[in-house]
Amino acid sequence: MYTVVGKLDLSNEGDGRMQTLTQRRSVPVDAAKTAAIFGTLLIHASAAGGFAGAPGSFGWTSALFWNCLLRSAVPVFFLCSGALLLPPEKEVTVRRVWTKYIPRILAALLFWAAAYEGVELLRGWRAAGVLERTALRQAALNLVLFHHKNHLYYLHIILLVYAVLPLTRRLVAAADRRLLNYALGIWFVLGCLAPTLKFFPPLSLVGGIPAQYPINLTWCAVGYGVLGDVLTQEAPRHRPRTFVWLYLAGTALTFGLTLAASLKTGALYQVFLQGSAPGVCLQAAGLYGFCAARWQDRDRWPMAETVSKASFCIYLTHLFFLDFLAGRGLSAGTLPPVWGVPVLAAAAFGGGFLVWLVLRRVPVVKTYLI
């Protein structure tokens, strides 16, 4: 399931990138991360203008299809993180978490958040012909107060996931399979079902302390990590097609419920698109489970390995390219989404991949920023 490749590589994990390369690479993880980064690009490419039309129109429905196809992209990254970091043979101490893992994520977060703020300042300067002090002050406040570019929320979550990682590892190591299944059941009910169903009666009518039972997406990510570890061990015992059906069920649930609710409300209804929604969770489990069941015995997959290594850099930088194209009239709002969304996603992938090819040759940048 793994191949030996070398030293600690923090550029190889799309979620914080901690894979010890004195261990062997995980082909299922590389394959899952490859799918997840393309899913991220499809989601953001379709969201930029793709839903400007009327719900149910061909263009709008096409954008929704691409948006839902790999909607579980970020949860899949969490599954991969758990698969790599929770096995007992992986050495993770409290000291290591706080002196290496978290500082490196913070460095990447603050650098790229500052880069996006810098681009916005540049646009303002070009439009107004002057760079106002208030704009500089607001950019600094945005950086310090974590008002970052939207997709950087992923790094915000990873900081918390890493902070509790030693505790999560102790739970996974001490619990038997029955207890882990119970924990995952509680997690699914409170972290996936409850946050979705609370928008509908009768849960929408519940008040008091029980209204606080649902787990928010940030803490839900910890559960995704545990699920990733469990699936890594259990999925190879099942046929890959089992997980294909699970993926298809999750995709159909996400697409169908979002379409129906959007037609009813007259606008994109996003409750069923959130990362902890039941359909998204089923899709993530199906996608990662398929990779684990299908490729558990494969030693290497060079193409998936390369994309996996580049995925974090692509994730961090792809909005530069999508925003650039949108500023020149190329977005899902101006192109037919049925073919425009995958073309835009491919362009953003190509741009991010080229950035990775350049930056990976710079030692400090490779270690801390990509």
Side-chain angles (χ1 to χ4, degrees), residues 136-189:
L136 289 171
R137 184 183 303 114
Q138 186 59 53
L141 285 174
N142 289 342
L143 190 64
V144 173
L145 298 178
F146 287 79
H147 297 164
H148 300 154
K149 193 74 169 177
N150 290 342
H151 71 305
L152 297 178
Y153 81 92
Y154 171 63
L155 277 72
H156 299 164
I157 294 177
I158 283 297
L159 288 172
L160 179 64
V161 170
Y162 284 172
V164 301
L165 181 60
L167 301 176
T168 311
R169 284 174 49 82
R170 181 61 62 91
L171 168 66
V172 171
D176 57 23
R177 184 47 41 84
R178 185 175 181 180
L179 186 58
L180 275 181
N181 288 341
Y182 174 76
L184 287 173
I186 293 292
W187 165 78
F188 183 75
V189 170

Side-chain angles (χ1 to χ4, degrees), residues 252-284:
L253 190 64
T254 303
F255 178 83
L257 290 176
T258 302
L259 177 60
S262 299
L263 289 173
K264 183 177 180 179
T265 60
L268 178 65
Y269 194 80
Q270 301 190 50
V271 169
F272 302 112
L273 296 175
Q274 58 189 357
S276 59
V280 174
C281 178
L282 294 178
Q283 186 191 76

Side-chain angles (χ1 to χ4, degrees), residues 184-331:
L184 287 173
I186 293 292
W187 165 78
F188 183 75
V189 170
L190 297 182
C192 298
L193 286 178
T196 302
L197 297 179
K198 72 179 182 180
F199 292 97
F200 309 97
L203 288 188
S204 62
L205 306 175
V206 172
I209 293 299
Q212 302 179 37
Y213 287 173
I215 302 171
N216 64 33
L217 176 61
T218 301
W219 286 106
C220 191
V222 177
Y224 271 122
V226 175
L227 179 61
D229 181 62
V230 171
L231 283 174
T232 300
Q233 301 175 53
E234 294 295 327
R237 302 177 185 178
H238 301 273
R239 294 181 178 181
R241 68 182 181 186
T242 301
F243 297 99
V244 171
W245 287 114
L246 188 61
Y247 163 81
L248 291 175
T251 304
L253 190 64
T254 303
F255 178 83
L257 290 176
T258 302
L259 177 60
S262 299
L263 289 173
K264 183 177 180 179
T265 60
L268 178 65
Y269 194 80
Q270 301 190 50
V271 169
F272 302 112
L273 296 175
Q274 58 189 357
S276 59
V280 174
C281 178
L282 294 178
Q283 186 191 76
L287 178 59
Y288 182 80
F290 172 80
C291 293
R294 178 67 177 81
W295 292 299
Q296 76 274 18
D297 295 324
R298 184 164 179 169
D299 290 332
R300 292 288 298 275
W301 190 353
M303 183 185 71
E305 181 178 327
T306 300
V307 176
S308 176
K309 289 179 178 180
S311 61
F312 190 60
C313 181
I314 295 171
Y315 184 92
L316 291 169
T317 60
H318 73 278
L319 285 187
F320 285 124
F321 300 100
L322 288 179
D323 289 348
F324 175 82
L325 292 172
R328 280 145 187 81
L330 298 174
S331 71

Side-chain angles (χ1 to χ4, degrees), residues 113-143 149 320 323:
Y116 280 102
E117 288 291 342
V119 169
E120 291 301 317
L121 288 172
L122 179 61
R123 287 174 180 164
W125 173 72
R126 292 182 63 182
V130 62
L131 186 59
E132 297 184 358
R133 188 172 301 176
T134 55
L136 289 171
R137 184 183 303 114
Q138 186 59 53
L141 285 174
N142 289 342
L143 190 64
K149 193 74 169 177
F320 285 124
D323 289 348

